[in-house]
Amino acid sequence: MMGAGLAPSPPFQIQITPVLCPSPRLRVLAFLPPPLPSGCSPGSRPARVSIRILPPDRQGLRVYKRFALVRATTPVASFLAIARHQQPRPSGARRGERARLPPPFSLEDQRLRLPDGPGPGWPRGAGGRCPVGPENSSMSQCAFPEDAAESELPDGCGLLHTSRKYLKLKNFEEEIRAHRDLDGFLDRASIILNETATSLDDVLRAMLVRLVHKPDNTESDCNLDLLMAVLFTDAGTPMEGKVHLLSDTIQGVTATVTGVQYQQSWLCIICTSKSLLKRHVCISRLVRPQNWGENCCEVRFVILVLAPPKMKSTKTATEVGRTFATMFLDITFRQKLLKTRTEEEFKEALVHQRQLLTMMDQGLTPSLKHYSISSIYIPKSHQPLQQKDFFPVGKGIREDFARRFPVYPLDFTDGIIGKNKAVGKFITTTLFLYFACLLPTIAFGSLNDEITYGAIDVQKTIAGQSIGSLLYALFSGQPLVVLLTTAPLALYTHVIRGICDDYDLDFNTFYAWTGLWNSFFLALYALFNFSLIMSLFKRSTEEIIALFISMTFVLDAVKGMVKIFQKYYGTSHGNHNADHISVLSLLGLGTSLNTSFHTALNTSLLANPPELTSVSSRSAEHSSRETAVLSLLIMLGTLWLSYTLYQFKKSPYLHPYMREILSDCALPISVLTFSVISSYGFQEINMSKFRYNPSERLFKIAEMQSLSLGAIGSAMGLGFLLSMLFFIEQNLVAALANAPENRLVKGTAYHWDLLLVAIINTGLSLFGMPWIHAAYPHSPLHVRALAVVEERVENGHIYETIVNVWETRLTTLGASILVGFSLLLLPLPLQWIPKPVLYGLFLYIALTSIDANQLFERMALLLKDQASYPPTHYIRRVPQRKIHYFTGLQVLQLLLLCAFGMSPLPYMKMIFPLIMMVMIPIRYKLLPRIIEAKYLDAMDAEH
């Protein structure tokens, strides 16, 4: 058969790794070697080729034919080798005894010749396997479909999508569903011991029959054939029966240096079917190991999990399968199951394994330590505060300096110098912060001008805001915190004004002494490390206070609009003289403690000041119903445009960079847009604007020596209550800004920041300017504006996570400077901003701050279907009833805050900080008597 003039090719050796075929007793191994060596050309005589087979799994594989004669007809030849599966020794057999196998397959003709190209003899099948049977026992028709696809598409070819996902081990200590899944299985146990079937189809059909014929079965319309079809990939495909593979499985794996090793002795099969009404679990133990293909060479246990498609995120087929897969991951447990003889012993082994997995206090079991040490969350025990923690004096401040000072230069260079620049994000965040601070500052100044009879006006409020926030941006330990004057501070200013009027005291002097005492107590709190007390505030307590503040923004914006309708909608002409009502009575009609100015502005500043507004005859005709309706439309329009632009980053329109810019500039764009619409589009309709009276002297120091000792002592009492408000607000807002989900990396400085706030407010008190402290929700929104956010999907739920945050001082510096330059814009054009635009701003700030509030999310669960519950950590770890109990108790605490914070009595509002401190013993003493402590800790955890 040798061609004329052709020299024989030398023998050569090839090392190859086989691809295993899913046959229990016979493996046809197809090999694709490298190009033939030089001298071995097509048409040469038969050469002896030494084939060394390197099995991927040495256990259970034995080479039968070591040498084969192959005729090289193409530069790339196909080699065949025959190997058989070496069955493991059956249980009870003697050493060396193995299962009997039929005689190995033998080649009738060892001279194998491949066809020169695709033709009638080319195989038609899936997966590139060479069929073995009577019709092709000569092995002369074996080739690869890749070569055939170049000329024609073989019948039965298709696409198979394979997806692999890592699943965390079920935490039996914390995840409540782990125990409930096992309890549900034990109550309706479907266990098959000593299954004799050898094929996968027969085993699964036997398991389905067991599930259907159970006495308590409720699946009357269950179709076994339909369920069998759903388990495999060939259900409903045009090439049905050709690619018969399992659709969804869970297997144990171990990552090694050489790759991933599969645990091949057990297999968990999960399936979702619309024909099912409830979840089902069946476990089958095979008599002897079976070879069902790649990574399933010696299966002894099969776990079948069936579930309806619409289930709670913790009750899906995957979650149930994860429970049993975590248990079967332990090889010691599987060996113990092999020794069980009855179903009761099998159940006892499952219960014992659950007990081992829940023994977290004694450490992990040795058999699971290798697999689960990185997957199980172990909560840290809370160490109670001791007296030594508050000493030595100034320890916390020194630690803050040591932590923050080394990275101080980076606060100015990050995002500006280097590869990763964020100049555009800094500019948009600065604009957002400017409008978010300027508008409340103007409104506060107008309110203070009214209640202090001009002693603290808009000019002083803007100047104090600019100077104070500028110093804080330069020297604070956490520059992402935003300082602002708030509603409690306006309330204290109102009380001080009333005391001065009753006892004929100088307002500026008494105000200055109150501020100095406040700063003195704050300095003591900082030096003696009192900020450590804030560690007692759990996440649930912080979110109650945060939701209370957000809720008051919404309520006061609504009340303001109601008052506008009461004034204008029911009358034909606006009565401007009726607007000048005593401020003392207005603040007693429901001014919210934590809203900066809303209700008082709604009542005292509803109409334009007569000295700043020229009302013509035509505007008087339109100052009734048109004003009310237009105010409502302006407020809702500001809210709609700002929130729509804020969510625009999630839309598919425009470039991602443009979407991010529009989202960051949502607040400035909406405020400017509707201010222009209100001022120019409807000039004939009279809209209310803020009060403005220019100051005679902007910087004037109070005469401190004019007060008596008794008046100074009274100021000390007010200063102490004020310092408690400062202490709680400053530390609480800083804690919300430094929350773990924000992923800040430069550290905290609670003690130093508290001392810096005391120093700043000392100067503001002496010059008669409004006090400032950390503001919510401005500070968390500032962090969010500087964050890089990604959307992730978990069990069909989309949620946002912060990747990193640009921790910079430039945004607060820029916003503070812009607020200072705004003094040049008084009274116009700032007075062109109508009050309904401010109401829309309040609604926007409240709405965006509620997004990440866990209390609000759990309140929304009461209105959701269980299948729509997000897969959060508390849903996994806490029973649903306990979650609703805890939410109800939080709502009661929220109502307690509202009772004091929204009281019509000003002096009740002054003790509001004490009510916030009372929430600490409620959380530690009262709630554990109602709900178990482990569930409380799980809901207070971050993840």
Side-chain angles (χ1 to χ4, degrees):
M1 297 175 63
M2 182 178 63
L6 294 178
S9 58
F12 58 96
Q13 185 179 22
I14 300 175
Q15 289 188 355
I16 50 184
T17 303
V19 180
L20 307 183
C21 296
S23 176
R25 297 178 179 177
L26 183 64
R27 298 195 177 197
V28 182
L29 311 178
F31 307 101
L32 184 64
L36 298 178
S38 59
C40 184
S41 58
S44 59
R45 69 173 179 81
R48 177 173 292 273
V49 181
S50 175
I51 303 176
R52 181 186 177 191
I53 298 179
L54 304 178
D57 187 1
R58 296 183 179 276
Q59 182 180 1
L61 182 65
R62 182 163 59 91
V63 176
Y64 179 70
K65 291 291 185 179
R66 185 173 182 82
F67 297 96
L69 290 176
V70 179
R71 181 175 180 81
T73 58
T74 58
V76 179
S78 297
F79 297 91
L80 294 178
I82 305 302
R84 68 174 182 179
H85 180 64
Q86 182 177 351
Q87 294 281 11
R89 176 169 54 90
S91 58
R94 298 178 181 178
R95 183 178 301 274
E97 179 181 352
R98 299 190 179 273
R100 294 185 178 181
L101 299 176
F105 180 81
S106 59
L107 292 176
E108 298 179 359
D109 185 6
Q110 295 187 359
R111 294 179 179 270
L112 305 181
R113 182 179 180 88
L114 299 178
D116 295 334
W122 214 255
R124 299 179 181 269
R129 291 195 289 265
C130 302
V132 179
E135 67 275 8
N136 48 23
S137 59
S138 62
M139 298 296 172
S140 62
Q141 298 177 354
C142 185
F144 288 89
E146 291 84 349
D147 300 330
E150 297 178 0
S151 59
E152 61 175 331
L153 185 64
D155 294 337
C157 282
L159 300 177
L160 181 65
H161 175 232
T162 302
S163 178
R164 291 183 174 90
K165 182 177 66 173
Y166 173 76
L167 294 178
K168 291 184 179 180
L169 299 180
K170 206 64 169 267
N171 193 327
F172 280 72
E173 174 68 15
E174 297 179 353
E175 296 190 52
I176 188 65
R177 291 306 314 179
H179 298 271
R180 295 194 173 185
D181 290 341
L182 184 57
D183 292 338
F185 171 75
L186 295 177
D187 293 339
R188 304 180 304 271
S190 295
I191 302 174
I192 302 177
L193 302 179
N194 304 323
E195 174 61 53
T196 58
T198 57
S199 67
L200 177 60
D201 293 56
D202 295 340
V203 172
L204 292 178
R205 183 169 292 275
M207 298 174 74
L208 292 176
V209 170
R210 171 62 70 91
L211 291 174
V212 171
H213 291 86
K214 286 194 307 180
D216 57 346
N217 178 42
T218 58
E219 310 287 351
S220 58
D221 299 333
C222 183
N223 190 332
L224 293 182
D225 295 332
L226 179 60
L227 290 177
M228 283 292 298
V230 175
L231 292 174
F232 294 93
T233 58
D234 55 356
T237 59
M239 40 188 249
E240 188 170 356
K242 298 300 177 72
V243 183
H244 196 63
L245 301 175
L246 292 172
S247 298
D248 207 349
T249 61
I250 300 177
Q251 283 186 269
V253 295
T254 305
T256 61
V257 179
T258 58
V260 177
Q261 294 182 358
Y262 285 81
Q263 293 187 356
Q264 305 192 34
S265 62
W266 65 276
L267 181 65
C268 180
I269 304 171
I270 58 180
C271 173
T272 301
S273 177
K274 296 181 180 180
S275 62
L276 298 175
L277 300 178
K278 56 193 301 187
R279 298 173 299 161
H280 302 276
V281 180
C282 182
I283 301 178
S284 177
R285 187 184 67 184
L286 308 183
V287 173
R288 56 177 58 88
Q290 298 297 329
N291 176 19
W292 289 336
E294 186 177 4
N295 303 325
C296 299
C297 295
E298 47 182 13
V299 179
R300 291 298 303 271
F301 295 97
V302 179
I303 309 162
L304 178 61
V305 180
L306 306 176
K310 291 186 177 181
M311 295 293 294
K312 188 178 176 182
S313 59
T314 56
K315 298 181 180 179
T316 60
T318 303
E319 289 297 317
V320 178
R322 193 164 66 96
T323 299
F324 289 93
T326 302
M327 302 179 70
F328 275 81
L329 198 65
D330 186 3
I331 187 174
T332 305
F333 170 66
R334 299 197 301 270
Q335 292 175 351
K336 185 176 181 180
L337 290 180
L338 290 175
K339 300 177 182 178
T340 58
R341 298 181 180 180
T342 62
E343 291 189 8
E344 294 300 326
E345 293 180 0
F346 200 97
K347 293 179 182 179
E348 292 177 0
L350 290 173
V351 174
H352 180 69
Q353 179 68 7
R354 176 176 62 178
Q355 295 174 354
L356 293 179
L357 291 172
T358 54
M359 293 173 58
M360 300 300 296
D361 295 336
Q362 301 179 5
L364 299 174
T365 57
S367 56
L368 286 179
K369 189 176 298 184
H370 178 71
Y371 299 104
S372 58
I373 191 66
S374 62
S375 304
I376 296 181
Y377 167 78
I378 303 177
K380 297 181 180 179
S381 59
H382 176 71
Q383 297 295 335
L385 294 176
Q386 300 179 1
Q387 185 177 359
K388 64 179 182 180
D389 296 331
F390 301 98
F391 295 97
V393 177
K395 175 185 176 182
I397 298 177
R398 290 193 298 269
E399 292 177 351
D400 292 342
F401 265 97
R403 181 166 49 249
R404 288 291 300 177
F405 187 74
V407 296
Y408 182 79
L410 299 178
D411 294 339
F412 296 92
T413 59
D414 284 351
I416 302 297
I417 301 176
K419 296 181 180 180
N420 299 325
K421 296 183 179 180
V423 179
K425 197 168 192 64
F426 289 176
I427 295 175
T428 56
T429 303
T430 301
L431 293 177
F432 158 76
L433 204 58
Y434 167 65
F435 280 89
C437 294
L438 177 64
L439 299 183
T441 300
I442 292 175
F444 262 122
S446 181
L447 175 62
N448 289 329
D449 189 12
E450 180 77 12
I451 64 179
T452 62
Y453 310 125
I456 301 177
D457 55 9
V458 174
Q459 278 185 314
K460 284 190 174 183
T461 305
I462 293 179
Q465 173 67 30
S466 177
I467 295 172
S469 58
L470 183 65
L471 294 175
Y472 191 84
L474 286 174
F475 303 110
S476 66
Q478 182 47 274
L480 299 183
V481 173
V482 179
L483 299 188
L484 201 65
T485 183
T486 57
L489 303 182
L491 173 66
Y492 274 87
T493 304
H494 162 56
V495 172
I496 292 173
R497 178 78 261 183
I499 293 175
C500 293
D501 293 340
D502 293 340
Y503 295 95
D504 195 19
L505 300 175
D506 180 67
F507 171 78
N508 290 331
T509 305
F510 192 77
Y511 179 85
W513 272 109
T514 304
L516 290 180
W517 280 117
N518 168 56
S519 299
F520 170 75
F521 287 116
L522 288 179
L524 290 181
Y525 301 156
L527 292 174
F528 286 94
N529 312 316
F530 274 26
S531 293
L532 295 176
I533 298 178
M534 295 304 297
S535 62
L536 300 178
F537 276 82
K538 293 290 188 176
R539 174 173 178 166
S540 56
T541 307
E542 296 174 353
E543 290 182 340
I544 292 173
I545 300 174
L547 185 59
F548 168 75
I549 299 174
S550 300
M551 187 174 65
T552 53
F553 273 84
V554 177
L555 293 179
D556 286 325
V558 173
K559 286 192 297 183
M561 193 54 57
V562 170
K563 291 181 181 296
I564 290 179
F565 269 77
Q566 290 176 348
K567 178 175 179 58
Y568 290 107
Y569 196 79
T571 59
S572 59
H573 298 282
N575 185 7
H576 298 286
N577 294 330
D579 296 323
H580 297 279
I581 308 173
S582 173
V583 176
L584 299 179
S585 62
L586 293 176
L587 286 178
L589 291 176
T591 305
S592 172
L593 179 64
N594 282 282
T595 52
S596 49
F597 44 87
H598 312 113
T599 306
L601 283 180
N602 298 335
T603 54
S604 64
L605 305 176
L606 194 57
N608 298 324
E611 65 273 18
L612 292 176
T613 307
S614 60
V615 183
S616 61
S617 59
R618 184 177 181 183
S619 63
E621 297 176 357
H622 295 276
S623 59
S624 56
R625 294 191 175 185
E626 290 84 353
T627 300
V629 175
L630 181 61
S631 298
L632 178 62
L633 294 177
I634 291 297
M635 180 190 72
L636 296 180
T638 304
L639 172 63
W640 169 79
L641 182 59
S642 57
Y643 196 74
T644 300
L645 293 178
Y646 175 74
Q647 297 288 339
F648 194 74
K649 58 187 175 182
K650 301 178 182 179
S651 68
Y653 304 105
L654 301 182
H655 191 273
Y657 183 71
M658 292 299 300
R659 294 200 299 263
E660 186 175 2
I661 291 179
L662 289 176
S663 178
D664 293 339
C665 297
L667 183 60
I669 292 175
S670 60
V671 170
L672 293 177
T673 299
F674 282 92
S675 296
V676 171
I677 292 175
S678 176
S679 300
Y680 289 95
F682 300 91
Q683 296 183 7
E684 67 278 6
I685 299 178
N686 185 29
M687 300 292 292
S688 59
K689 299 178 175 63
F690 63 86
R691 178 189 179 97
Y692 171 71
N693 290 321
S695 302
E696 297 179 358
R697 293 180 59 183
L698 189 59
F699 298 98
K700 180 181 179 180
I701 300 180
E703 299 177 0
M704 306 299 296
Q705 69 278 4
S706 61
L707 286 186
S708 62
L709 293 179
I712 294 176
S714 301
M716 181 179 67
L718 287 176
F720 174 73
L721 292 176
L722 185 62
S723 68
M724 293 187 62
L725 174 66
F726 266 79
F727 174 76
I728 295 178
E729 290 280 351
Q730 177 68 32
N731 287 283
L732 180 65
V733 174
L736 292 173
N738 291 308
E741 58 266 23
N742 292 336
R743 301 180 186 275
L744 303 183
V745 297
K746 293 184 179 180
T748 60
Y750 293 102
H751 311 281
W752 164 244
D753 287 350
L754 188 62
L755 180 61
L756 181 61
V757 168
I759 296 173
I760 292 174
N761 283 278
T762 299
L764 297 179
S765 302
L766 292 175
F767 288 99
M769 296 181 179
W771 302 307
I772 57 176
H773 60 64
Y776 181 88
H778 299 75
S779 299
L781 290 179
H782 181 212
V783 176
R784 186 80 173 184
L786 290 172
V788 179
V789 182
E790 286 185 356
E791 286 189 350
R792 298 180 181 178
V793 180
E794 182 177 352
N795 294 338
H797 295 270
I798 301 177
Y799 66 97
E800 293 183 345
T801 180
I802 294 178
V803 179
N804 68 283
V805 177
W806 294 102
E807 302 181 50
T808 179
R809 299 177 185 270
L810 299 180
T811 53
T812 48
L813 279 174
S816 302
I817 295 174
L818 291 177
V819 170
F821 277 115
S822 299
L823 290 172
L824 304 177
L825 305 179
L826 289 174
L828 296 176
L830 289 182
Q831 260 198 337
W832 291 342
I833 303 177
K835 289 200 302 181
V837 172
L838 301 182
Y839 297 150
L841 167 68
F842 307 149
L843 293 177
Y844 166 77
I845 291 178
L847 188 60
T848 53
S849 64
I850 286 176
D851 282 344
N853 192 287
Q854 189 183 112
L855 172 58
F856 183 79
E857 293 177 355
R858 282 188 274 106
M859 291 172 62
L861 293 180
L862 298 173
L863 305 176
K864 289 184 179 181
D865 182 17
Q866 290 191 8
S868 302
Y869 282 11
T872 56
H873 64 280
Y874 55 87
I875 293 293
R876 296 181 182 276
R877 302 176 186 175
V878 185
Q880 181 177 331
R881 183 175 299 179
K882 301 292 184 180
I883 294 176
H884 295 328
Y885 284 168
F886 183 70
T887 303
L889 294 173
Q890 282 187 295
V891 172
L892 292 179
Q893 298 177 68
L894 180 63
L895 295 178
L896 178 64
L897 291 181
C898 294
F900 284 87
M902 299 180 182
S903 173
L905 303 177
Y907 290 97
M908 286 190 64
K909 299 177 183 178
M910 295 182 63
I911 63 174
F912 180 76
L914 298 178
I915 303 303
M916 290 191 288
M917 297 298 295
V918 170
M919 297 178 68
I920 296 179
I922 291 178
R923 169 60 181 83
Y924 285 93
K925 300 297 182 180
L926 180 60
L927 293 186
R929 298 177 180 270
I930 304 174
I931 302 176
E932 291 87 337
K934 64 177 181 179
Y935 295 146
L936 293 175
D937 294 338
M939 285 182 284
D940 279 329
E942 303 297 337
H943 302 286

